Amino acid sequence: MLTALLGGTFDPIHYGHLRPAISLVNEVGLKQISLLPNHVPPHKPQPEASTEQRLAMLKLAIEGLPLFALNVREILPETSTRPSYTIETLQAWRQENGNSEGLAFIMGQDSLLSLPTWNKWKTLLDYCHLLICRRPGYAQKTDNIELQQWIDVHNTTNIKDLHNSPHGYIFFAHTPLEDISATEIRQNINNQVSCENLLPPKVWHYIHQQGLYTAKK
Ligand code: ATP
């Protein structure tokens, strides 16, 4: 059984994050999924919800779901002006948990395609496996030759590989296609279009109670 991390801005968390992650539990065999909210440094476009609000929504989303945990390493302290790199989180995880336990990092197909912009991206697999969730509108192949070659070298379709080695493989999962994005949710709320069915009811109520995503742009 692998431990998994699922990083994101979660502005807000939605079923496009949760449903593919839950389906990975059976497909791959995961013992826990830690949601890892990103710190967005001041020079980057800021999330509309505050750090506190994003954390509150994550807590509400996973309430009563022991499969999920919350890892606040990247989001706190809020005052940090420096980006929090995934590679550093993975290194810290290995320092705390050793090198023999299996670790997976879950991401959507869009994130995989953006990987060459990540710090030290090619070394991610020295610390974890990558579990890739399908996402509508994003192709499985990329025109970026360097990325595609790297994927081809590390790709496996054999789940046993993910359990026989603590890190090093890329696995394209058969997760459900969820045509949901946080951007669309924020826009819908701003336009007073209901999108209640796209995220957990407690998160939906919190968004309304806090008046989130309604500011006119
Ligand atoms: P935004 O629309 O603001 O860019 P988002 O909906 O993509 O946000 P993030 O918090 O940026 O959400 O995503 C966190 C992770 O979850 C990323 O790896 C992303 O690829 C993945 N993810 C988000 N939505 C989906 C989805 N509908 N299907 C599969 N993966 C998803």
Side-chain angles (χ1 to χ4, degrees), residues 94 99 101-103 124-129 165-169:
R94 282 289 171 209
N99 288 326
E101 203 184 317
L103 177 66
L124 292 173
L125 292 176
D126 294 342
Y127 302 93
C128 66
H129 302 299
S165 172
H167 58 85
Y169 287 100

Side-chain angles (χ1 to χ4, degrees), residues 5 36 39 71 73-74 80 82-96 103 105 118-121 123-124 127-128:
L5 298 170
L36 181 70
H39 169 68
N71 181 332
R73 183 189 186 277
E74 293 189 357
S80 173
R82 173 183 177 278
S84 47
Y85 294 121
T86 301
I87 192 73
E88 293 168 348
T89 299
L90 296 172
Q91 286 165 341
W93 193 92
R94 282 289 171 209
Q95 265 172 13
E96 283 159 27
L103 177 66
F105 193 90
W118 293 32
N119 190 33
K120 299 183 185 162
W121 62 279
T123 62
L124 292 173
Y127 302 93
C128 66

Side-chain angles (χ1 to χ4, degrees), residues 7 9-10 14 16-17 108 110-111 135 178 180-183 186:
T9 310
F10 303 117
H14 53 69
H17 301 122
D110 57 311
S111 294
R135 192 164 185 184
E178 298 287 346
I180 307 173
S181 75
T183 305
R186 294 193 300 272

Side-chain angles (χ1 to χ4, degrees), residues 47-67:
E48 288 190 42
S50 68
T51 298
E52 191 191 30
Q53 287 168 325
R54 287 190 293 140
L55 279 176
M57 290 189 281
L58 286 169
K59 285 181 188 157
L60 288 170
I62 64 175
E63 215 170 59
L65 300 175
L67 169 67

